[in-house]
Amino acid sequence: DAEITQSPRHKITETGRQVTLACHQTWNHNNMFWYRQDLGHGLRLIHYSYGVQDTNKGEVSDGYSVSRSNTEDLPLTLESAASSQTSVYFCASSLAVSGEQFFGPGTRLTVL
Amino acid sequence: QKEVEQDPGPLSVPEGAIVSLNCTYSNSAFQYFMWYRQYSRKGPELLMYTYSSGNKEDGRFTAQVDKSSKYISLFIRDSQPSDSATYLCARNYGGSQGNLIFGKGTKLSVKP
């Protein structure tokens, strides 16, 4: 069955370190998204991509970057992790730009 | 001001009750509205998808859009303990402006 996976599921890191969160989908969806979810803020869009080599900034993109070299993967990189980036990160993909987004299981990141 | 406002709750009801979950939005240009359900420590999953002018029913769930008051609602009939989750409303413009904006979510608990 097609699916969307995230790794790692849990990560503890130190401030200043570079961290990369992986997202892989097997639906062959062109559209992929990264969100963070925090108490009191809900889901907020970090970056998104509408296809290979396409990346765009979302609402809370500072301190994060993405690259899209193939259809299946959209890794999220925290260039220099900060305690404010402690959060749960969700990756999602969709077939149509305005269609249903399918979410991964999430990565819980703690920055000490 | 966030474009989609949602009461975070928590909301606690007895099993069998009718549940009403609500969101308000500020921009009349929105075309599509969605309700996602998120169980604890899981990714959100799409529950209902409606256009700005329609209502939709699916089993025990009914999604309703009131354009005049810019109100969207999700009704759950005969609520079950398995309905205990956080419910997120979301909207998008449709077409090429398809990115979702989520409300903060309402946490629902259905007591046996």
Side-chain angles (χ1 to χ4, degrees):
Chain A
D1 284 345
E3 62 177 354
I4 183 166
T5 57
Q6 294 183 236
S7 62
R9 295 295 312 280
H10 301 272
K11 174 81 175 178
I12 299 175
T13 191
E14 297 176 342
T15 55
R17 290 190 179 268
Q18 184 181 77
V19 177
T20 297
L21 309 182
C23 175
H24 179 79
Q25 52 96 5
T26 58
W27 282 299
N28 204 36
H29 288 167
N30 280 330
N31 311 302
M32 295 185 73
F33 310 84
W34 272 105
Y35 296 88
R36 60 178 290 175
Q37 188 173 40
D38 306 283
L39 277 174
H41 290 281
L43 278 167
R44 292 181 290 175
L45 185 64
I46 305 171
H47 280 286
Y48 59 99
S49 168
Y50 288 157
V52 176
Q53 302 301 331
D54 176 74
T55 61
N56 306 279
K57 294 181 179 181
E59 179 187 0
V60 290
S61 60
D62 287 348
Y64 303 94
S65 64
V66 293
S67 62
R68 188 89 181 272
S69 59
N70 58 53
T71 302
E72 296 81 16
D73 300 288
L74 187 69
L76 177 71
T77 297
L78 287 68
E79 304 294 345
S80 177
S83 57
S84 60
Q85 294 176 308
T86 293
S87 185
V88 181
Y89 291 85
F90 288 100
C91 178
S93 72
S94 70
L95 179 61
V97 170
S98 58
E100 175 182 2
Q101 291 187 14
F102 295 86
F103 283 80
T107 293
R108 190 170 294 268
L109 177 68
T110 301
V111 182
L112 300 176
Chain B
Q1 182 184 2
K2 203 169 175 62
E3 295 180 61
V4 177
E5 297 289 341
Q6 186 175 9
D7 185 342
L11 181 63
S12 182
V13 301
E15 183 176 354
I18 297 174
V19 176
S20 173
L21 302 169
N22 305 297
C23 287
T24 59
Y25 63 95
S26 56
N27 191 328
S28 298
F30 298 157
Q31 292 186 345
Y32 302 101
F33 299 91
M34 304 176 188
W35 284 97
Y36 279 79
R37 178 176 60 195
Q38 185 178 19
Y39 290 114
S40 180
R41 296 185 175 268
K42 302 286 187 182
E45 56 180 348
L46 184 69
L47 195 59
M48 300 286 281
Y49 187 118
T50 62
Y51 299 103
S52 60
S53 59
N55 297 338
K56 191 171 184 178
E57 186 173 321
D58 184 3
R60 297 184 295 110
F61 299 89
T62 299
Q64 190 174 77
V65 179
D66 183 340
K67 290 177 65 178
S68 62
S69 57
K70 296 189 177 70
Y71 216 71
I72 55 176
S73 302
L74 178 71
F75 299 97
I76 307 174
R77 292 184 298 278
D78 187 25
S79 57
Q80 303 295 309
S82 58
D83 296 326
S84 297
T86 297
Y87 291 81
L88 305 162
C89 61
R91 67 83 180 146
N92 65 17
Y93 291 100
S96 61
Q97 302 179 63
N99 290 342
L100 295 179
I101 297 293
F102 285 87
K104 294 180 180 180
T106 300
K107 187 171 184 178
L108 171 67
S109 177
V110 180
K111 303 295 186 183

